[in-house]
Amino acid sequence: MQKRLVSLFCLLSVLLSAQNKTSDSFFDVNYFKGYITLHNNDILGLISGHPEGVILSWNKKTFGKEAWEQRYNYPDYGASFIYQNLKSKDLGNNFGLYAHYNFYFFNRNLMLRIGQGIAHTSNPYDRTDNPKNIAFGSTLLSSTYLMLNYKKERIFNRFGLQTGLSFVHYSNANVKAPNTSINTVALNVGVTYNLDEDDTEYISDLSDEKFTEPIKYNFAFRTGINQSDIVGSAQYPFYILSAYADKRLTHTNAVQFGVDVFFSNFLKELIRFESTAQLNNGVTGDEDYKRVGVFVGHELFVNNFSIESQVGYYVYYPFDFESRVYFRAGLKRYFGEKWFGALTLKSHGARAEAVELGIGIRL
């Protein structure tokens, strides 16, 4: 494994160094070590050591050529690779690929990185070979990571240092049970290397023109597959129809209000199971699997992307599943002024229900 990581690092170095000197990019290597947070007592038996790993990243700088770059204090964007040894024979090792943004504060000495991607786990749950791993029910996982670093660039020639805290989350969002997920909090230390001898000067010509836009109406369709928490139950597709209005308050912020209609087919099986399992919870088997919710939300616009967060409440809730309050958060990508695609996570508190892939129109 160490030889593979060294080879990957060398390959990245060669590829990045081969770029034109005006590329205005850099890469960094961070080693991290920490602990798995006990967000669910069921995973206590899986925690047997302090997980560690390495984060390799390529970063592209911005200098204010576009207005959004100046509004966000000239962020970086790039790609990351994470290798993590979870220090547990049941959990194994995880490998992840991510897209990320770096945001800067306090004279660009404090960097906040937000990354979203997909990970592969070496030891998923298996009823026979690995029954203790209730964290990962599938080989492929959705993964998010955060990094908050104090950073000093160009301490020596093109080299710099950074150190801080990292948070790494793995979950398959109930695509396949079991799925208690794993969260890692860690200390990290790293080295940066700039591919250019000198930084380009930042452009600062943003006007203070007030942003105005009428209320817009959105229609979205979301889908995916998931299953109940019952291990061995089948996977089913789900469908969600959403309609909502949004109001842009500034260049970067909008508020939302709308309604969702959920067609969650996995609930059909869960209703049948609970009605026949003699659980004495009042489920008869005649309950409707559909749900209707109303929600309020916020949208943060970054270039052609936006970060969406919503909190909703089921007004039609014939079957008691998890909670009447639900949450949604994720990423949207706009194609032109009207059409968008979205990748979001729906949950009830800390319990994920589904990863949603959606398309929509904003009128």
Side-chain angles (χ1 to χ4, degrees):
M1 182 56 62
Q2 291 179 343
K3 291 182 179 179
R4 291 181 183 178
L5 289 174
V6 171
S7 298
L8 179 61
F9 176 75
C10 292
L11 178 61
L12 284 173
S13 300
V14 170
L15 291 174
L16 294 173
S17 298
Q19 292 190 6
N20 188 286
K21 287 188 176 181
T22 60
S23 63
D24 296 323
S25 58
F26 67 95
F27 68 91
D28 58 68
V29 182
N30 289 271
Y31 166 79
F32 67 90
K33 187 171 185 177
Y35 64 94
I36 295 173
T37 62
L38 190 62
H39 69 284
N40 187 323
N41 289 331
D42 292 339
I43 68 170
L44 183 61
L46 297 174
I47 302 174
S48 58
H50 294 284
E52 62 179 345
V54 63
I55 304 173
L56 307 178
S57 303
W58 171 81
N59 308 269
K60 177 70 173 179
K61 297 181 180 180
T62 63
F63 294 95
K65 293 180 181 179
E66 298 186 32
W68 73 270
E69 300 172 359
Q70 298 184 45
R71 292 191 181 102
Y72 284 96
N73 193 28
Y74 316 100
D76 313 319
Y77 59 90
S80 309
F81 168 80
I82 296 181
Y83 161 73
Q84 182 173 357
N85 183 342
L86 291 160
K87 298 296 183 179
S88 167
K89 64 181 181 63
D90 300 309
L91 294 175
N93 303 315
N94 286 0
F95 309 82
L97 290 174
Y98 306 79
H100 70 252
Y101 274 102
N102 300 329
F103 298 97
Y104 290 92
F105 311 91
F106 301 112
N107 295 321
R108 302 187 70 80
N109 289 322
L110 187 66
M111 180 194 78
L112 173 64
R113 176 178 295 173
I114 303 174
Q116 180 63 47
I118 190 168
H120 174 276
T121 181
S122 64
N123 291 13
Y125 170 85
D126 184 90
R127 181 174 294 180
T128 302
D129 297 330
N130 195 21
K132 294 183 179 180
N133 186 359
I134 60 172
F136 308 139
S138 59
T139 300
L140 292 180
L141 309 169
S142 172
S143 184
T144 303
Y145 88 97
L146 305 175
M147 179 186 289
L148 184 65
N149 275 354
Y150 179 78
K151 178 179 177 181
K152 278 293 185 180
E153 287 195 40
R154 302 186 185 276
I155 292 178
F156 174 72
N157 196 1
R158 300 185 187 186
F159 289 91
L161 294 174
Q162 59 185 18
T163 185
L165 294 171
S166 295
F167 171 85
V168 187
H169 169 77
Y170 301 103
S171 169
N172 72 17
N174 263 28
V175 171
K176 188 175 182 181
N179 179 52
T180 56
S181 74
I182 290 292
N183 300 318
T184 301
V185 176
L187 293 172
N188 65 266
V189 60
V191 178
T192 67
Y193 179 78
N194 286 273
L195 298 181
D196 307 291
E197 294 182 357
D198 298 300
D199 283 337
T200 305
E201 291 186 2
Y202 294 105
I203 300 171
S204 182
D205 59 1
L206 192 63
S207 67
D208 294 329
E209 181 181 354
K210 185 177 179 181
F211 181 86
T212 58
E213 183 182 76
I215 294 175
K216 296 287 186 175
Y217 299 96
N218 300 257
F219 301 91
F221 170 76
R222 298 180 175 92
T223 188
I225 59 172
N226 65 344
Q227 68 180 101
S228 69
D229 292 332
I230 301 172
V231 177
S233 59
Q235 294 173 300
Y236 295 95
F238 62 84
Y239 310 100
I240 304 169
L241 301 177
S242 302
Y244 59 97
D246 75 62
K247 173 62 178 175
R248 289 280 289 268
L249 303 178
T250 67
H251 288 279
T252 57
N253 294 276
V255 292
Q256 306 170 337
F257 178 78
V259 59
D260 291 314
V261 181
F262 300 92
F263 301 88
S264 302
N265 289 297
F266 80 95
L267 287 180
K268 290 182 179 180
E269 182 185 36
L270 186 61
I271 290 171
R272 286 196 298 268
F273 173 82
E274 293 196 6
S275 66
T276 59
Q278 297 181 347
L279 300 178
N280 297 320
N281 59 359
V283 177
T284 64
D286 297 324
E287 289 81 2
D288 191 358
Y289 73 101
K290 296 183 289 294
R291 294 167 291 176
V292 178
V294 294
F295 66 86
V296 294
H298 175 266
E299 194 167 355
L300 181 68
F301 295 88
V302 184
N303 196 10
N304 294 322
F305 291 88
S306 71
I307 300 172
E308 190 173 53
S309 56
Q310 299 169 350
V311 56
Y313 180 83
Y314 298 114
V315 293
Y316 179 67
Y317 188 66
F319 176 67
D320 187 12
F321 175 73
E322 302 292 1
S323 167
R324 294 193 76 134
V325 177
Y326 64 93
F327 301 89
R328 176 182 288 123
L331 190 67
K332 292 172 70 175
R333 172 64 161 88
Y334 283 90
F335 303 93
E337 295 184 358
K338 293 183 178 181
W339 293 96
F340 61 83
L343 182 66
T344 51
L345 172 69
K346 181 188 175 225
S347 68
H348 302 90
R351 300 180 66 88
E353 179 180 325
V355 171
E356 308 164 334
L357 181 64
I359 58 172
I361 189 169
R362 185 172 184 258
L363 304 173

